[in-house]
Amino acid sequence: MTDHSALPAGLAIRTIETPSLGDRSYVVHDGDVAFVIDPQRDIDRILEILRTDAVRLTHVFETHIHNDYVTGGFALAQATGAAYLTNADDNVEFDRTPLHDGDTVQIGDRMRVRAIHTPGHTFTHLSYALTDDAQPIAVFTGGSLLYGATGRPDLLGPDHTDALARHQHHSAHKLTHALPDDTEVYPTHGFGSFCSATQSETAQSTIGQEKRSNRALTQDEEDYVRDLLDGLGAWPAYYAHMAPTNSAGPEAPDLSLPESADPAELRHRIETGEWVVDLRTRTAFAAGHAPGTLNFGLDGSFSTYLGWLITWGTPVTLLGETAADVALAQRELVRIGIDRPAAHATGEPEQWSLDAPVSFPTATFADLELVRHHRDIVVLDVRRTEEHTAARIEGAVNIPIHELPRRLSDIPPGELWIHCAAGYRASIAASFLHVAGRTLVAVDDKFENAAKAGLHLVGPEA
């Protein structure tokens, strides 16, 4: 959580980071009353801030019907009695306070929030400008104007992408015309979220800074649209389930531990096609794991890749070294709408299986360079297509990790050396292929070391 103190005296903006999804939520208050922008599903984090700061929540705002996570807005409003505000044109199944472009909401004695229609990420997207004593001081831009970028316009389908990209350009300019240069910008997306069209390392910004650095504001419409659309890659498959869930008004999640499972039950779940997921690091998993288990480590983009690869509705059982690990995984999963694991187990692989643990080797790119001269191997690159196209090991086969479960038969025969950009996705892929009976080595190394090791790279960025 970040506290923004460079504000008028008495006002506070608390930033709640969800780095696993690349999103931020905001709690804003004047020491007495508060409002929230784009709350994540696990609302206990927000309730704790309200208790700690001793403020009363009166309003919950959504910038848009989110495509990348399940909102906590409806549940938070229900729990606190706060008004829940969304665009009047959003087709939702719950009672809310509808907002139109230009509507202003008074919160406490000092804070006023003005809705600004900023379509582009979605058609009904709203940004919210905060004024204190009639002076604009901040704007909460959701998936519209991000730091050095904008939200992607393709999540509603290809029929709308071009139109939304043009809306996004117009909306960025609308914000700069409506607000002073020193207005602080607080986006929801853009910190690793796939909802962002591009990524930025910037941690904070203002309208004036964005005028100088954001290509939506430095390029003309045609150049911006062309470059934006050319740079779009795949987005996680679970996104398709988020907007319908959010439009229905999701309830608060149950974060209590699921039932525990013994080795016999775990084997049964694996044999019936359920996912039994080992949450440990890729190093620990490679060294020894229960047969048939899959590796999605908590030390990486756990929920993003699990949600991307799984067939929606497949039961998930979680294996963690501690109950705290399982609880953290549950928290990550409820944020994308996987509400209740089927079961869990804690401890070590020896406690999770009726059979002895199994393992597979790991290596570096230097090892790969050495071995390719001595025996026939297949180099499998599981990075996204755009990463592979930009720079790749000559002769490598590319099957992006999110396509792997349904494309196992497309992988050539032979000994596999699996790599990605840093090792996390390679371990996920290795776990699937190990279950499939393939002979493999997982490359646990940064791709930047491939050329240093002497491997021949091709591509425009090689």
Side-chain angles (χ1 to χ4, degrees):
M1 183 187 74
T2 304
D3 177 12
H4 296 267
S5 55
L7 294 168
L11 293 188
I13 299 178
R14 306 281 195 243
T15 301
I16 302 138
E17 305 269 3
T18 306
S20 57
L21 295 179
D23 286 301
R24 290 178 175 178
S25 303
Y26 302 96
V27 178
V28 187
H29 68 76
D30 62 2
D32 180 27
V33 295
F35 67 90
V36 170
I37 303 285
D38 290 346
Q40 282 275 343
R41 182 83 182 283
D42 46 331
I43 62 173
D44 56 330
R45 294 187 293 170
I46 292 172
L47 295 174
E48 179 59 29
I49 291 172
L50 298 174
R51 285 192 293 269
T52 299
D53 290 5
V55 293
R56 177 172 55 91
L57 183 65
T58 59
H59 296 78
V60 179
F61 295 88
E62 298 281 9
T63 58
H64 60 294
I65 301 296
H66 301 281
N67 288 288
D68 66 326
Y69 64 81
V70 177
T71 180
F74 180 78
L76 182 61
Q78 294 290 104
T80 62
Y84 191 30
L85 301 94
T86 74
N87 193 313
D89 292 331
D90 285 332
N91 184 19
V92 296
E93 301 173 20
F94 49 82
D95 291 332
R96 46 68 196 265
T97 301
L99 288 174
H100 301 84
D101 184 34
D103 285 353
T104 299
V105 180
Q106 182 74 42
I107 302 174
D109 295 330
R110 296 175 56 183
M111 299 184 294
R112 290 171 64 86
V113 175
R114 175 163 59 98
I116 304 173
H117 185 213
T118 48
H121 189 47
T122 67
F123 284 107
T124 59
H125 190 286
L126 295 174
S127 296
Y128 297 105
L130 169 64
T131 62
D132 172 49
D133 294 333
Q135 177 63 35
I137 58 174
V139 59
F140 300 91
T141 54
S144 184
L145 188 68
L146 313 183
Y147 294 155
T150 51
R152 61 191 300 161
D154 60 329
L155 299 182
L156 302 186
D159 291 345
H160 304 297
T161 298
D162 185 80
L164 284 169
R166 296 178 187 281
H167 280 308
Q168 195 73 291
H169 188 265
H170 297 165
S171 292
H173 286 268
K174 180 178 182 178
L175 288 172
T176 64
H177 294 148
L179 298 166
D181 281 2
D182 60 356
T183 305
E184 296 280 347
V185 176
Y186 294 92
T188 299
H189 303 318
F191 311 96
S193 169
F194 280 91
C195 272
S196 174
T198 58
Q199 301 301 323
S200 170
E201 298 301 319
T202 303
Q204 59 186 38
S205 188
T206 63
I207 288 292
Q209 287 173 282
E210 292 307 308
K211 282 183 179 180
R212 295 187 293 272
S213 63
N214 196 308
R215 65 183 184 182
L217 300 169
T218 60
Q219 291 181 306
D220 65 31
E221 180 178 330
E222 295 304 321
D223 288 343
Y224 164 80
V225 170
R226 181 191 65 247
D227 290 350
L228 179 66
L229 300 187
D230 285 348
L232 294 175
W235 41 268
Y238 70 83
Y239 277 22
H241 304 279
M242 299 299 96
T245 299
N246 289 328
S247 297
E251 301 286 348
D254 179 0
L255 291 174
S256 63
L257 282 176
E259 66 179 35
S260 60
D262 61 20
E265 181 181 343
L266 293 174
R267 172 185 281 182
H268 174 72
R269 291 186 178 279
I270 291 169
E271 290 175 346
T272 56
E274 299 184 13
W275 276 25
V276 178
V277 174
D278 189 327
L279 303 170
R280 296 174 304 146
T281 66
R282 58 185 181 269
T283 303
F285 184 85
H289 55 272
T293 57
L294 303 173
N295 182 222
F296 291 84
L298 282 173
D299 59 333
S301 298
F302 162 71
S303 57
T304 294
Y305 285 106
L306 191 151
W308 201 338
L309 272 63
I310 198 168
T311 299
W312 207 247
T314 300
V316 176
T317 292
L318 302 173
L319 307 179
E321 292 178 319
T322 67
D325 290 338
V326 175
L328 176 57
Q330 285 183 257
R331 182 176 291 270
E332 295 281 4
L333 291 177
V334 299
R335 292 170 179 160
I336 64 167
I338 299 177
D339 275 9
R340 288 298 289 166
H344 87 283
T346 57
E348 299 293 337
E350 293 81 3
Q351 300 168 272
W352 300 335
S353 178
L354 298 172
D355 304 307
V358 293
S359 63
F360 53 76
T362 61
T364 66
F365 283 110
D367 297 323
L368 174 56
E369 163 61 13
L370 288 173
V371 78
R372 72 185 184 93
H373 296 293
H374 302 291
R375 61 181 189 264
D376 290 333
I377 61 172
V378 176
V379 178
L380 177 63
D381 180 354
V382 296
R383 296 176 302 157
R384 295 189 301 278
T385 302
E386 59 270 26
E387 295 175 274
H388 178 82
T389 301
R392 59 195 179 275
I393 297 171
E394 188 174 34
V397 175
N398 179 224
I399 297 182
I401 185 64
H402 58 276
E403 299 178 9
L404 186 79
R406 67 176 185 274
R407 293 186 60 191
L408 295 179
S409 61
D410 293 342
I411 301 172
E415 177 184 332
L416 299 173
W417 282 62
I418 308 165
H419 83 86
C420 59
Y424 186 81
R425 288 174 287 179
S427 182
I428 295 172
S431 69
F432 277 90
L433 290 162
H434 201 236
V435 170
R438 296 299 299 267
T439 299
L440 61 88
V441 177
V443 177
D444 190 1
D445 198 359
K446 294 182 178 179
F447 186 70
E448 64 193 47
N449 292 327
K452 297 175 185 177
L455 290 161
H456 184 213
L457 303 188
V458 294
E461 297 181 13

